[in-house]
Amino acid sequence: MPQYKLSYFNLMGRAEPMRLMFAYAGVAYEDHRIEGQQWAELKPKTPNGQLPVLQIDGKEELSQSMAISHYLSKKFGLDGKDDWESAKVREAIETMSDVKQKLRVTEQDPEKKAAIVKALEHDTVEPYLARLAATLKKNGSGFLVGSKPTEIDFHLFHAFNYWQQSKQYTEALNKHSEIQTFLKKFENLPGIKSWLEKRPKTSM
């Protein structure tokens, strides 16, 4: 078994879907959490001057969160049972990435920002969640692709979990029973439940 070390800041952020994958797969790894003051020294030593970074056997290093995610999904059998399911997983991940890009808000004024977020919830989040709910209903397994969790489920769970905790887009989330069922099913999966109970408490 390879020795894994996942380095990221002491928060959930971009590394959390991969931590969830390790938990579900029951694979041991070093959850290396970097505090702010350590980052300046470590940054020049990383492949691209950014985190997360996955180190394997103390030698090979892989950066870029989605590259790490894809690698682990292949290693842990989370990329679908065949080429078609694998392609549908990639399709869903690319779609999610497009939506996340649209949700980036740089406005600092609280009132203007709130108005922008509300518009995004109506124009972008609600249609996206409606399509996801329809896909979940059609698939029938409780997961987005196939009969068991795949890479996209880990990213969806993390995003929706974050929205719930930060009280973002909760009105849209609560409209769809299929999504609420997905969240309940996922959080009670073996490995996931215990990780959620023990993971460090962070702001995001």
Side-chain angles (χ1 to χ4, degrees):
M1 178 69 70
Q3 300 297 307
Y4 295 107
K5 177 180 179 180
L6 182 65
S7 299
Y8 193 62
F9 303 108
N10 187 26
L11 44 84
M12 288 185 282
R14 294 178 180 271
E16 194 62 18
M18 284 74 87
R19 294 180 183 130
L20 291 166
M21 288 182 192
F22 277 114
Y24 176 73
V27 174
Y29 73 107
E30 181 182 348
D31 185 13
H32 181 212
R33 293 175 178 250
I34 297 162
E35 300 295 346
Q37 63 270 21
Q38 298 173 298
W39 177 229
E41 180 182 348
L42 182 63
K43 184 175 181 178
K45 302 174 185 177
T46 61
N48 291 304
Q50 60 189 34
L51 297 174
V53 170
L54 178 68
Q55 190 176 63
I56 305 162
D57 292 334
K59 300 175 183 177
E60 301 294 336
E61 288 186 320
L62 183 64
S63 66
Q64 294 291 349
S65 59
M66 295 312 296
I68 296 170
S69 172
H70 187 52
Y71 175 80
L72 292 179
S73 75
K74 299 278 282 185
K75 295 293 285 186
F76 299 161
L78 303 172
D79 62 334
K81 69 178 182 181
D82 53 29
D83 289 344
W84 179 252
E85 283 193 3
S86 181
K88 296 301 287 185
V89 170
R90 299 317 304 167
E91 176 188 55
I93 286 174
E94 293 295 335
T95 301
M96 184 182 186
S97 178
D98 289 345
V99 170
K100 288 169 72 175
Q101 282 288 104
K102 294 176 182 177
L103 298 182
R104 295 186 180 217
V105 179
T106 57
E107 177 61 58
Q108 296 300 309
D109 180 86
E111 289 188 11
K112 291 180 180 178
K113 183 176 181 179
I116 292 170
V117 169
K118 189 65 179 175
L120 285 170
E121 182 167 25
H122 180 268
D123 298 337
T124 301
V125 175
E126 287 186 3
Y128 174 59
L129 294 183
R131 293 192 296 271
L132 284 179
T135 301
L136 285 165
K137 185 175 182 179
K138 182 180 179 181
N139 192 34
S141 68
F143 304 111
L144 201 69
V145 178
S147 60
K148 64 178 186 177
T150 60
E151 182 182 5
I152 181 60
D153 295 312
F154 293 83
H155 288 275
L156 287 174
F157 178 79
H158 170 57
F160 296 163
N161 197 235
Y162 174 71
W163 288 356
Q164 288 177 323
Q165 291 183 25
S166 61
K167 303 191 184 325
Q168 285 186 314
Y169 311 124
T170 52
E171 186 177 332
L173 272 175
N174 292 334
K175 282 185 178 180
H176 301 287
S177 60
E178 295 86 358
I179 290 175
Q180 296 305 313
T181 299
F182 161 76
L183 288 168
K184 292 262 186 228
K185 185 180 181 75
F186 194 93
E187 70 185 12
N188 284 293
L189 288 171
I192 298 296
K193 183 178 173 66
S194 60
W195 170 248
L196 296 178
E197 290 171 350
K198 72 181 183 182
R199 70 181 175 186
K201 304 298 182 187
T202 59
S203 59
M204 60 179 288

